[in-house]
Amino acid sequence: WKGCKIKKGAYHFFTPKTDPYMQAKNFLSQYKPNKGDLIPVVDVEKLKSWKRVGNKKGVERLKIFMSIIEKECGVQPIIYTTGMFWEDYLKPHYGEINPNMLWVADYRLNRAPYTGSFEEWYIWQWTDKGRVSGIKGNVDLNWCRKYELIILK
């Protein structure tokens, strides 16, 4: 981590059926924010467990997780999700979640996503079939429209 010459950040795959306090504790035990790092990211897209828990409880648990991370890191995590998951499960609770930044994975589009009430997306993951010299196999490719705003100050 210390010798890395590129921007780096922490990522958490949120599981709505797991206690959000335990998830935050685990995340924070591994991540200590530093100036110049990328803002932490919470991935919210586990559809089967989200449906099992229910949207209301899933949103409540996500809010708890995000508030703990924001309190400890001084910044709200970026929400990473698919375009469909955002539209169907999170967007209806936009006012409750109140995200500052959204990272949308949507491969269906040939243009940057429009997310209705949340037009201020910051990162668009537009393919999972990208190629990068020196890496075998496919990689995700993303477009960031306001890079300077996803760096910890």
Side-chain angles (χ1 to χ4, degrees):
W1 182 272
K2 290 182 181 181
C4 186
K5 304 239 188 272
I6 61 173
K7 297 290 183 194
K8 58 205 173 298
Y11 167 96
H12 177 77
F13 194 91
F14 183 77
T15 308
K17 64 182 182 176
T18 303
D19 181 310
Y21 296 98
M22 289 176 41
Q23 290 186 74
K25 182 179 178 182
N26 180 59
F27 178 82
L28 293 167
S29 74
Q30 301 299 312
Y31 172 69
K32 304 297 180 228
N34 293 299
K35 182 180 177 182
D37 290 344
L38 300 173
I39 291 174
V41 175
V42 57
D43 183 334
V44 186
E45 61 177 314
K46 195 157 181 162
L47 185 56
K48 285 183 183 177
S49 59
W50 196 270
K51 284 183 174 180
R52 202 173 299 131
V53 167
N55 207 37
K56 182 177 180 180
K57 193 170 191 175
V59 167
E60 288 171 5
R61 289 181 171 189
L62 176 60
K63 284 175 23 186
I64 291 168
F65 176 84
M66 289 181 61
S67 67
I68 294 168
I69 301 307
E70 183 173 12
K71 181 181 176 196
E72 295 298 318
C73 297
V75 65
Q76 187 187 76
I78 297 170
I79 292 178
Y80 170 91
T81 192
T82 67
M84 288 187 293
F85 196 93
W86 171 258
E87 292 292 329
D88 294 344
Y89 296 96
L90 300 179
K91 181 180 168 185
H93 300 277
Y94 172 79
E96 296 169 63
I97 302 167
N98 199 22
N100 288 334
M101 294 188 205
L102 183 63
W103 181 352
V104 178
D106 202 330
Y107 312 144
R108 303 169 298 164
L109 307 173
N110 59 4
R111 59 176 171 66
Y114 169 74
T115 56
S117 64
F118 193 75
E119 296 171 8
E120 289 299 316
W121 58 272
Y122 284 77
I123 305 170
W124 170 36
Q125 184 173 313
W126 54 276
T127 186
D128 60 352
K129 296 179 178 28
R131 304 298 290 180
V132 174
S133 178
I135 298 177
K136 291 182 181 178
N138 295 333
V139 297
D140 298 339
L141 295 179
N142 299 275
W143 189 81
C144 181
R145 75 176 187 178
K146 296 182 181 180
Y147 179 74
E148 67 279 359
L149 296 179
I150 64 169
I151 306 296
L152 290 171
K153 308 286 187 250

